[in-house]
Amino acid sequence: MQLREIMKKILFAILLIASSKFVAAQAAWIEPDPTDVTKTIRLYVDLDKLDATKEPTQRLLADPGPYYMWTWSPAELPVGNPKVNGEGERPWQNSNELLKLTKDDAKGARVYYYEMVPTEFYEVAAAKVYEKGINFLVKPKNGGGYGDPDI
């Protein structure tokens, strides 16, 4: 019986260590946690924790910034909305200045954030934010495309 208890404790310790490494490796997160989507939050991204083996990520990391958020969920805002992702005929090459990320040196060398009230930003009810989640990516002002490699 004692051996079984010891094995349970060892297994629990292994799971705890493994899960802490997973959490520590997150490239993006929201603060505060837990999150009230009707109040101000910060969406964070640590560029140093992105998968640098992917070509678009390598191009992003080579770009000195500034960086911008491109978001599509819980709702993608339509052309004409002041918070639309990109502007002009080639929006992927012309990120909206309102979506510029702010550097947070206190959190890390390449940590950036965007501050918002999700229900106001996406113009949806809180239930939709919780149901769909917030999906976004990080890109430079000119994200390539239209025949050029994506960044």
Short mmCIF file of all heavy atoms in Angstrom, two decimals, residues 30-68:
data_model
loop_
_atom_site.label_atom_id
_atom_site.label_comp_id
_atom_site.label_asym_id
_atom_site.label_seq_id
_atom_site.Cartn_x
_atom_site.Cartn_y
_atom_site.Cartn_z
N ILE A 30 -3.79 36.09 -21.59
CA ILE A 30 -4.62 37.23 -21.24
C ILE A 30 -4.46 37.53 -19.76
O ILE A 30 -4.42 36.62 -18.94
CB ILE A 30 -6.11 36.94 -21.54
CG1 ILE A 30 -6.34 36.74 -23.04
CG2 ILE A 30 -7.00 38.08 -21.02
CD1 ILE A 30 -7.77 36.35 -23.39
N GLU A 31 -4.39 38.81 -19.44
CA GLU A 31 -4.41 39.25 -18.05
C GLU A 31 -5.49 40.29 -17.91
O GLU A 31 -5.66 41.10 -18.83
CB GLU A 31 -3.06 39.84 -17.63
CG GLU A 31 -1.98 38.79 -17.54
CD GLU A 31 -0.64 39.36 -17.05
OE1 GLU A 31 -0.59 40.54 -16.62
OE2 GLU A 31 0.34 38.62 -17.11
N PRO A 32 -6.24 40.31 -16.81
CA PRO A 32 -6.12 39.40 -15.68
C PRO A 32 -6.73 38.03 -15.98
O PRO A 32 -7.47 37.87 -16.94
CB PRO A 32 -6.93 40.10 -14.58
CG PRO A 32 -7.95 40.89 -15.31
CD PRO A 32 -7.31 41.30 -16.61
N ASP A 33 -6.39 37.08 -15.15
CA ASP A 33 -6.93 35.73 -15.24
C ASP A 33 -7.40 35.34 -13.86
O ASP A 33 -6.59 35.35 -12.93
CB ASP A 33 -5.83 34.78 -15.72
CG ASP A 33 -6.32 33.36 -15.89
OD1 ASP A 33 -7.54 33.16 -16.01
OD2 ASP A 33 -5.49 32.44 -15.88
N PRO A 34 -8.69 35.07 -13.68
CA PRO A 34 -9.74 34.93 -14.68
C PRO A 34 -10.12 36.28 -15.29
O PRO A 34 -9.87 37.33 -14.72
CB PRO A 34 -10.91 34.32 -13.91
CG PRO A 34 -10.66 34.66 -12.48
CD PRO A 34 -9.17 34.80 -12.32
N THR A 35 -10.71 36.19 -16.47
CA THR A 35 -10.98 37.37 -17.28
C THR A 35 -12.46 37.71 -17.29
O THR A 35 -13.29 36.86 -17.54
CB THR A 35 -10.50 37.09 -18.73
OG1 THR A 35 -9.13 36.76 -18.69
CG2 THR A 35 -10.71 38.30 -19.61
N ASP A 36 -12.74 38.98 -17.06
CA ASP A 36 -14.08 39.54 -17.24
C ASP A 36 -14.03 40.32 -18.54
O ASP A 36 -13.37 41.37 -18.61
CB ASP A 36 -14.45 40.45 -16.06
CG ASP A 36 -15.82 41.09 -16.20
OD1 ASP A 36 -16.40 41.07 -17.31
OD2 ASP A 36 -16.31 41.64 -15.21
N VAL A 37 -14.69 39.82 -19.58
CA VAL A 37 -14.58 40.42 -20.91
C VAL A 37 -15.33 41.73 -21.04
O VAL A 37 -15.29 42.36 -22.10
CB VAL A 37 -14.99 39.42 -22.01
CG1 VAL A 37 -14.08 38.21 -22.01
CG2 VAL A 37 -16.46 39.04 -21.87
N THR A 38 -16.00 42.19 -19.98
CA THR A 38 -16.66 43.49 -20.00
C THR A 38 -15.77 44.56 -19.37
O THR A 38 -16.17 45.71 -19.27
CB THR A 38 -18.01 43.45 -19.27
OG1 THR A 38 -17.78 43.19 -17.88
CG2 THR A 38 -18.93 42.39 -19.86
N LYS A 39 -14.55 44.16 -18.97
CA LYS A 39 -13.59 45.08 -18.37
C LYS A 39 -12.29 45.05 -19.17
O LYS A 39 -12.07 44.18 -20.00
CB LYS A 39 -13.35 44.70 -16.92
CG LYS A 39 -14.60 44.86 -16.08
CD LYS A 39 -14.31 44.74 -14.62
CE LYS A 39 -15.53 45.21 -13.87
NZ LYS A 39 -16.13 44.25 -13.04
N THR A 40 -11.41 45.98 -18.88
CA THR A 40 -10.15 46.09 -19.59
C THR A 40 -9.27 44.86 -19.35
O THR A 40 -9.09 44.43 -18.21
CB THR A 40 -9.39 47.35 -19.16
OG1 THR A 40 -10.22 48.49 -19.43
CG2 THR A 40 -8.08 47.49 -19.91
N ILE A 41 -8.74 44.33 -20.45
CA ILE A 41 -7.81 43.21 -20.41
C ILE A 41 -6.58 43.56 -21.25
O ILE A 41 -6.60 44.52 -22.01
CB ILE A 41 -8.43 41.90 -20.96
CG1 ILE A 41 -8.70 42.02 -22.46
CG2 ILE A 41 -9.66 41.51 -20.19
CD1 ILE A 41 -8.84 40.72 -23.18
N ARG A 42 -5.57 42.75 -21.10
CA ARG A 42 -4.40 42.84 -21.98
C ARG A 42 -4.18 41.47 -22.62
O ARG A 42 -4.11 40.47 -21.92
CB ARG A 42 -3.15 43.23 -21.20
CG ARG A 42 -3.08 44.70 -20.87
CD ARG A 42 -1.74 45.07 -20.31
NE ARG A 42 -1.68 46.51 -20.07
CZ ARG A 42 -0.63 47.12 -19.57
NH1 ARG A 42 0.46 46.43 -19.25
NH2 ARG A 42 -0.66 48.41 -19.38
N LEU A 43 -4.07 41.49 -23.93
CA LEU A 43 -3.66 40.30 -24.70
C LEU A 43 -2.15 40.40 -24.84
O LEU A 43 -1.64 41.38 -25.39
CB LEU A 43 -4.27 40.31 -26.10
CG LEU A 43 -5.77 40.23 -26.23
CD1 LEU A 43 -6.16 40.43 -27.69
CD2 LEU A 43 -6.25 38.89 -25.74
N TYR A 44 -1.44 39.41 -24.33
CA TYR A 44 0.02 39.41 -24.39
C TYR A 44 0.52 38.39 -25.39
O TYR A 44 -0.10 37.34 -25.58
CB TYR A 44 0.61 39.03 -23.02
CG TYR A 44 0.66 40.15 -22.03
CD1 TYR A 44 -0.36 40.32 -21.11
CD2 TYR A 44 1.74 41.04 -22.02
CE1 TYR A 44 -0.31 41.35 -20.18
CE2 TYR A 44 1.79 42.07 -21.09
CZ TYR A 44 0.77 42.22 -20.18
OH TYR A 44 0.82 43.24 -19.26
N VAL A 45 1.68 38.68 -25.97
CA VAL A 45 2.38 37.71 -26.81
C VAL A 45 3.88 37.87 -26.56
O VAL A 45 4.38 38.99 -26.47
CB VAL A 45 2.03 37.85 -28.31
CG1 VAL A 45 2.46 39.18 -28.87
CG2 VAL A 45 2.61 36.71 -29.12
N ASP A 46 4.54 36.74 -26.39
CA ASP A 46 6.00 36.71 -26.22
C ASP A 46 6.58 36.15 -27.51
O ASP A 46 6.49 34.95 -27.77
CB ASP A 46 6.37 35.85 -25.02
CG ASP A 46 7.86 35.88 -24.71
OD1 ASP A 46 8.66 36.26 -25.60
OD2 ASP A 46 8.22 35.52 -23.58
N LEU A 47 7.16 37.02 -28.33
CA LEU A 47 7.68 36.59 -29.63
C LEU A 47 8.79 35.55 -29.49
O LEU A 47 8.96 34.72 -30.38
CB LEU A 47 8.19 37.79 -30.43
CG LEU A 47 7.15 38.88 -30.74
CD1 LEU A 47 7.79 39.97 -31.59
CD2 LEU A 47 5.94 38.30 -31.43
N ASP A 48 9.51 35.56 -28.39
CA ASP A 48 10.58 34.58 -28.19
C ASP A 48 10.04 33.17 -27.95
O ASP A 48 10.78 32.21 -28.02
CB ASP A 48 11.48 34.99 -27.02
CG ASP A 48 12.36 36.17 -27.38
OD1 ASP A 48 12.70 36.32 -28.58
OD2 ASP A 48 12.70 36.96 -26.47
N LYS A 49 8.74 33.05 -27.68
CA LYS A 49 8.15 31.73 -27.44
C LYS A 49 7.38 31.20 -28.65
O LYS A 49 6.74 30.16 -28.56
CB LYS A 49 7.27 31.77 -26.20
CG LYS A 49 8.09 31.99 -24.94
CD LYS A 49 7.27 31.96 -23.71
CE LYS A 49 8.17 32.16 -22.49
NZ LYS A 49 7.39 32.29 -21.28
N LEU A 50 7.44 31.90 -29.77
CA LEU A 50 6.80 31.41 -30.99
C LEU A 50 7.65 30.30 -31.59
O LEU A 50 8.84 30.19 -31.32
CB LEU A 50 6.65 32.55 -32.00
CG LEU A 50 5.75 33.70 -31.57
CD1 LEU A 50 5.76 34.80 -32.64
CD2 LEU A 50 4.33 33.24 -31.31
N ASP A 51 7.04 29.48 -32.43
CA ASP A 51 7.75 28.37 -33.08
C ASP A 51 8.63 28.93 -34.20
O ASP A 51 8.17 29.19 -35.30
CB ASP A 51 6.73 27.37 -33.64
CG ASP A 51 7.38 26.16 -34.26
OD1 ASP A 51 8.63 26.14 -34.40
OD2 ASP A 51 6.66 25.22 -34.62
N ALA A 52 9.90 29.11 -33.90
CA ALA A 52 10.84 29.72 -34.84
C ALA A 52 11.23 28.80 -35.98
O ALA A 52 12.00 29.18 -36.86
CB ALA A 52 12.08 30.21 -34.10
N THR A 53 10.69 27.58 -36.01
CA THR A 53 11.00 26.68 -37.13
C THR A 53 10.11 26.97 -38.34
O THR A 53 10.39 26.50 -39.43
CB THR A 53 10.83 25.20 -36.73
OG1 THR A 53 9.45 24.95 -36.41
CG2 THR A 53 11.72 24.85 -35.55
N LYS A 54 9.06 27.76 -38.16
CA LYS A 54 8.14 28.08 -39.25
C LYS A 54 8.62 29.32 -39.99
O LYS A 54 9.00 30.32 -39.37
CB LYS A 54 6.73 28.28 -38.71
CG LYS A 54 6.18 27.03 -38.04
CD LYS A 54 4.77 27.25 -37.56
CE LYS A 54 4.25 26.11 -36.75
NZ LYS A 54 3.81 24.97 -37.41
N GLU A 55 8.59 29.27 -41.32
CA GLU A 55 9.11 30.38 -42.13
C GLU A 55 8.43 31.72 -41.85
O GLU A 55 9.13 32.73 -41.70
CB GLU A 55 9.03 30.04 -43.62
CG GLU A 55 10.13 29.10 -44.06
CD GLU A 55 10.14 28.91 -45.56
OE1 GLU A 55 10.06 29.91 -46.28
OE2 GLU A 55 10.23 27.74 -45.99
N PRO A 56 7.08 31.77 -41.77
CA PRO A 56 6.48 33.08 -41.47
C PRO A 56 6.93 33.64 -40.13
O PRO A 56 7.12 34.84 -39.99
CB PRO A 56 4.97 32.80 -41.47
CG PRO A 56 4.81 31.59 -42.32
CD PRO A 56 6.04 30.77 -42.06
N THR A 57 7.16 32.76 -39.15
CA THR A 57 7.63 33.21 -37.84
C THR A 57 9.06 33.74 -37.95
O THR A 57 9.40 34.76 -37.35
CB THR A 57 7.56 32.08 -36.81
OG1 THR A 57 6.21 31.61 -36.73
CG2 THR A 57 8.00 32.54 -35.43
N GLN A 58 9.89 33.08 -38.72
CA GLN A 58 11.27 33.54 -38.91
C GLN A 58 11.28 34.94 -39.53
O GLN A 58 12.06 35.81 -39.12
CB GLN A 58 12.05 32.56 -39.79
CG GLN A 58 12.32 31.24 -39.13
CD GLN A 58 12.85 30.18 -40.10
OE1 GLN A 58 13.07 30.44 -41.27
NE2 GLN A 58 13.02 28.97 -39.59
N ARG A 59 10.38 35.16 -40.50
CA ARG A 59 10.30 36.49 -41.12
C ARG A 59 9.79 37.53 -40.11
O ARG A 59 10.25 38.67 -40.10
CB ARG A 59 9.42 36.44 -42.36
CG ARG A 59 10.09 35.72 -43.54
CD ARG A 59 9.33 35.89 -44.83
NE ARG A 59 8.13 35.07 -44.91
CZ ARG A 59 8.11 33.78 -45.25
NH1 ARG A 59 9.23 33.17 -45.55
NH2 ARG A 59 6.99 33.12 -45.32
N LEU A 60 8.85 37.14 -39.27
CA LEU A 60 8.35 38.05 -38.24
C LEU A 60 9.46 38.42 -37.27
O LEU A 60 9.66 39.59 -36.94
CB LEU A 60 7.17 37.42 -37.48
CG LEU A 60 6.63 38.27 -36.32
CD1 LEU A 60 5.89 39.49 -36.86
CD2 LEU A 60 5.71 37.44 -35.44
N LEU A 61 10.20 37.42 -36.79
CA LEU A 61 11.25 37.66 -35.81
C LEU A 61 12.40 38.49 -36.39
O LEU A 61 13.09 39.19 -35.65
CB LEU A 61 11.78 36.33 -35.26
CG LEU A 61 10.75 35.53 -34.45
CD1 LEU A 61 11.33 34.17 -34.05
CD2 LEU A 61 10.27 36.29 -33.23
N ALA A 62 12.58 38.44 -37.71
CA ALA A 62 13.62 39.23 -38.36
C ALA A 62 13.18 40.69 -38.53
O ALA A 62 14.02 41.57 -38.74
CB ALA A 62 13.97 38.63 -39.72
N ASP A 63 11.89 40.95 -38.46
CA ASP A 63 11.36 42.30 -38.62
C ASP A 63 11.49 43.04 -37.28
O ASP A 63 11.09 42.52 -36.25
CB ASP A 63 9.89 42.23 -39.04
CG ASP A 63 9.35 43.57 -39.47
OD1 ASP A 63 9.23 44.46 -38.61
OD2 ASP A 63 9.06 43.74 -40.66
N PRO A 64 12.03 44.27 -37.29
CA PRO A 64 12.23 44.99 -36.03
C PRO A 64 10.95 45.58 -35.43
O PRO A 64 10.95 46.11 -34.33
CB PRO A 64 13.20 46.11 -36.42
CG PRO A 64 12.91 46.34 -37.87
CD PRO A 64 12.55 44.99 -38.44
N GLY A 65 9.83 45.46 -36.14
CA GLY A 65 8.58 46.04 -35.66
C GLY A 65 8.42 47.45 -36.18
O GLY A 65 9.23 47.90 -36.98
N PRO A 66 7.39 48.14 -35.79
CA PRO A 66 6.40 47.76 -34.80
C PRO A 66 5.53 46.59 -35.26
O PRO A 66 5.50 46.25 -36.45
CB PRO A 66 5.57 49.03 -34.60
CG PRO A 66 5.70 49.76 -35.87
CD PRO A 66 7.06 49.42 -36.41
N TYR A 67 4.83 46.00 -34.29
CA TYR A 67 3.97 44.86 -34.56
C TYR A 67 2.52 45.24 -34.34
O TYR A 67 2.21 46.13 -33.55
CB TYR A 67 4.36 43.67 -33.67
CG TYR A 67 5.79 43.26 -33.87
CD1 TYR A 67 6.76 43.55 -32.92
CD2 TYR A 67 6.18 42.59 -35.02
CE1 TYR A 67 8.08 43.17 -33.11
CE2 TYR A 67 7.49 42.21 -35.21
CZ TYR A 67 8.44 42.51 -34.25
OH TYR A 67 9.73 42.15 -34.46
N TYR A 68 1.65 44.50 -35.03
CA TYR A 68 0.22 44.79 -35.00
C TYR A 68 -0.56 43.51 -34.74
O TYR A 68 -0.14 42.42 -35.13
CB TYR A 68 -0.23 45.39 -36.33
CG TYR A 68 0.43 46.71 -36.62
CD1 TYR A 68 1.73 46.78 -37.11
CD2 TYR A 68 -0.24 47.91 -36.36
CE1 TYR A 68 2.35 47.99 -37.34
CE2 TYR A 68 0.37 49.13 -36.60
CZ TYR A 68 1.67 49.16 -37.08
OH TYR A 68 2.28 50.38 -37.31
#
